[in-house]
Amino acid sequence: MTLNNLTDLQVEQLRRSLLQWYNKQGRDLPWRRTTDPYPIWVSEIMLQQTQVKTVIPYYERWLIQFSTISQVAQAELQTVLKAWEGLGYYARGRNLHKAAQVVTQIYESRFPDQLEKVLALPGIGRTTAGGILSAAFNQPISILDGNVKRVLSRLIALPVIPTEALSELWALSDRLLDPDQPRDFNQALMDLGATVCTRSQPNCVECPWNFACEAYNKKIQNQLPIRKMSVPLPHKRIGVAVIFNDEGLILIDRRPEGGLLGGLWEFPGGKIEPNETVEQCVEREILEEIGIAIAVGENLITIDHAYTHFRVTLQVHLCRYVSGTPQTIECDEIRWVSLDEIDQFPVPKANSQIITALKERDRLNNLVK
Ligand code: SF4
């Protein structure tokens, strides 16, 4: 089967079988119990790059903290990022905050129901817009997230990498979408990808589309979609300083808003250059970035962490402030905080591990006293 030779009858059979399956097997997800576009929008943004089971507690906490769009708009960015802490891909939280301000100012806090207006909001692309408008307003707008790409690639046994056939996959998603039940159809398609047509070991025997699926009929479902040859992720070694002053306070800084992990707080540090020890790196970086001299002490913890495009190893050292006035040379803000206060600040995941290690060290020190 290809998009071009798909008959109206086949399309009708595919719609009917998927919707019947969804009526019996569809997941009961919290954002499916409403047609209010605000919580649906929040869920769609959280679900970009993150699995349902991780999203649910964040989604529920979010709606308790920010029950309306205007509450998000009025909140400090730091408060929004704190609520997002641990979900990763923080640009999503920053964009949600910006978009909430646009919706509040331009649309009087009512989420727009026109595709071009939704697409103009920060952080909303075509598939997210389709997800929101079909779920909230039952509009016949198709979707093409990662799960749907996989299902459709297998359905037509796509012979190329999905990213090389996006217009064909979008056209297929458009063609299949049931214009009478777009909300349920899109949700069903997402569920099929998440629960049956999974990345590894798709459960074709139970699949409502097995009668028409090219990949299944050719027994190549485990080989599809075709993947790009994977190349090893670049690896960076980073020296990190936990700097204590004479009062026992710790220095943290806020990353510039535009870049990776923008707006989050962290312990300062930087890349270890070739032929440099971690101690030399930490001393140099803190002088260059914060403008202060420190004495580098023992290793607190070493953390390996993977981002989408690279891996890092953080070698974290306990340090003592020696001299100079901290300056915001490569960050937006600097604070001296106690270990108890640090939890109020949104930090990246790897930095949470540093805080846990500091608390554990503190606990052990108190036992010894
Ligand atoms: S039959 Fe198998 S490969 Fe085809 S859509 Fe269903 S689960 Fe996916």
Side-chain angles (χ1 to χ4, degrees):
M1 184 206 300
T2 66
L3 173 61
N4 293 332
N5 68 15
L6 199 57
T7 64
D8 288 350
L9 179 63
Q10 282 173 315
V11 168
E12 198 43 51
Q13 286 171 333
L14 286 165
R15 287 176 185 158
R16 207 173 329 120
S17 55
L18 182 62
L19 286 167
Q20 278 170 359
W21 170 83
Y22 180 66
N23 280 337
K24 289 193 205 123
Q25 309 281 339
R27 292 174 295 177
D28 175 26
L29 301 174
W31 42 89
R32 287 188 182 159
R33 298 176 205 141
T34 178
T35 53
D36 179 347
Y38 167 54
I40 290 169
W41 169 37
V42 172
S43 73
E44 284 286 338
I45 301 296
M46 289 184 171
L47 288 165
Q48 295 168 350
Q49 324 272 2
T50 310
Q51 291 190 337
V52 163
K53 67 175 190 306
T54 308
V55 163
I56 288 175
Y58 277 92
Y59 168 85
E60 288 174 343
R61 281 196 301 268
W62 182 280
L63 292 179
I64 292 169
Q65 188 171 356
F66 308 109
S67 58
T68 62
I69 296 177
S70 15
Q71 283 180 0
V72 182
Q74 283 157 17
E76 293 288 326
L77 176 61
Q78 293 301 297
T79 310
V80 169
L81 291 176
K82 187 70 195 168
W84 203 270
E85 191 180 77
L87 261 184
Y89 300 97
Y90 290 88
R92 297 181 297 173
R94 290 195 300 273
N95 282 330
L96 194 51
H97 185 235
K98 268 190 230 147
Q101 292 173 336
V102 175
V103 172
T104 303
Q105 284 158 18
I106 300 184
Y107 304 117
E108 297 172 345
S109 300
R110 292 165 67 92
F111 194 86
D113 61 1
Q114 288 165 282
L115 181 60
E116 62 279 12
K117 289 182 178 168
V118 175
L119 283 172
L121 294 171
I124 299 190
R126 191 170 162 190
T127 198
T128 302
I132 299 168
L133 291 172
S134 60
F137 304 108
N138 209 20
Q139 289 183 17
I141 302 176
S142 60
I143 55 169
L144 191 66
D145 66 5
N147 281 339
V148 176
K149 274 183 210 155
R150 183 174 58 252
V151 175
L152 299 186
S153 300
R154 286 172 173 163
L155 182 67
I156 60 170
L158 187 73
V160 295
I161 300 167
T163 48
E164 289 173 6
L166 286 180
S167 54
E168 187 178 3
L169 291 172
W170 271 113
L172 182 57
S173 188
D174 282 344
R175 174 98 163 92
L176 292 172
L177 179 64
D178 187 332
D180 297 325
Q181 300 184 66
R183 173 187 293 129
D184 285 353
F185 184 89
N186 278 345
Q187 297 299 319
L189 197 48
M190 288 187 225
D191 275 13
L192 190 69
T195 64
V196 175
C197 193
T198 47
R199 200 178 303 264
S200 59
Q201 305 295 327
N203 187 1
C204 300
V205 175
E206 304 284 334
C207 176
W209 279 1
N210 59 12
F211 69 94
C213 177
E214 285 289 312
Y216 180 52
N217 290 338
K218 293 177 176 165
K219 302 282 172 272
I220 54 170
Q221 65 271 24
N222 287 315
Q223 294 151 40
L224 296 180
I226 292 176
R227 291 185 192 92
K228 240 195 223 157
M229 291 278 284
S230 63
V231 282
L233 292 178
H235 179 221
K236 298 180 190 175
R237 286 172 62 232
I238 307 285
V240 177
V242 176
I243 307 165
F244 286 88
N245 67 9
D246 291 343
E247 285 87 54
L249 299 178
I250 304 165
L251 187 146
I252 56 173
D253 70 76
R254 186 158 56 82
R255 293 175 68 94
E257 266 174 33
L260 176 76
L261 307 173
L264 296 186
W265 292 81
E266 66 175 8
F267 301 98
K271 197 168 151 218
I272 304 172
E273 299 292 350
N275 305 322
E276 189 178 48
T277 65
V278 59
E279 288 85 355
Q280 288 165 337
C281 158
V282 168
E283 213 174 321
R284 174 185 55 74
E285 285 284 345
I286 300 310
L287 194 57
E288 288 171 2
E289 289 187 9
I290 312 271
I292 60 172
I294 56 169
V296 183
E298 67 189 52
N299 176 270
L300 171 72
I301 186 173
T302 298
I303 298 164
D304 288 311
H305 190 72
Y307 294 96
T308 317
H309 299 298
F310 63 94
R311 290 185 302 120
V312 288
T313 298
L314 304 181
Q315 289 181 254
V316 185
H317 279 250
L318 297 170
C319 303
R320 188 171 51 77
Y321 165 78
V322 175
S323 63
T325 306
Q327 299 160 48
T328 51
I329 301 168
E330 291 198 15
C331 60
D332 281 357
E333 195 177 344
I334 291 170
R335 295 224 193 150
W336 289 102
V337 295
S338 70
L339 196 49
D340 289 337
E341 287 167 336
I342 228 164
D343 286 332
Q344 300 160 16
F345 296 85
V347 298
K349 202 169 190 174
N351 279 248
S352 299
Q353 288 175 258
I354 300 175
I355 294 169
T356 305
L358 279 170
K359 288 186 174 167
E360 180 59 13
R361 173 181 169 273
D362 206 42
R363 190 183 69 80
L364 293 174
N365 283 348
N366 286 337
L367 284 179
V368 175
K369 279 178 196 164

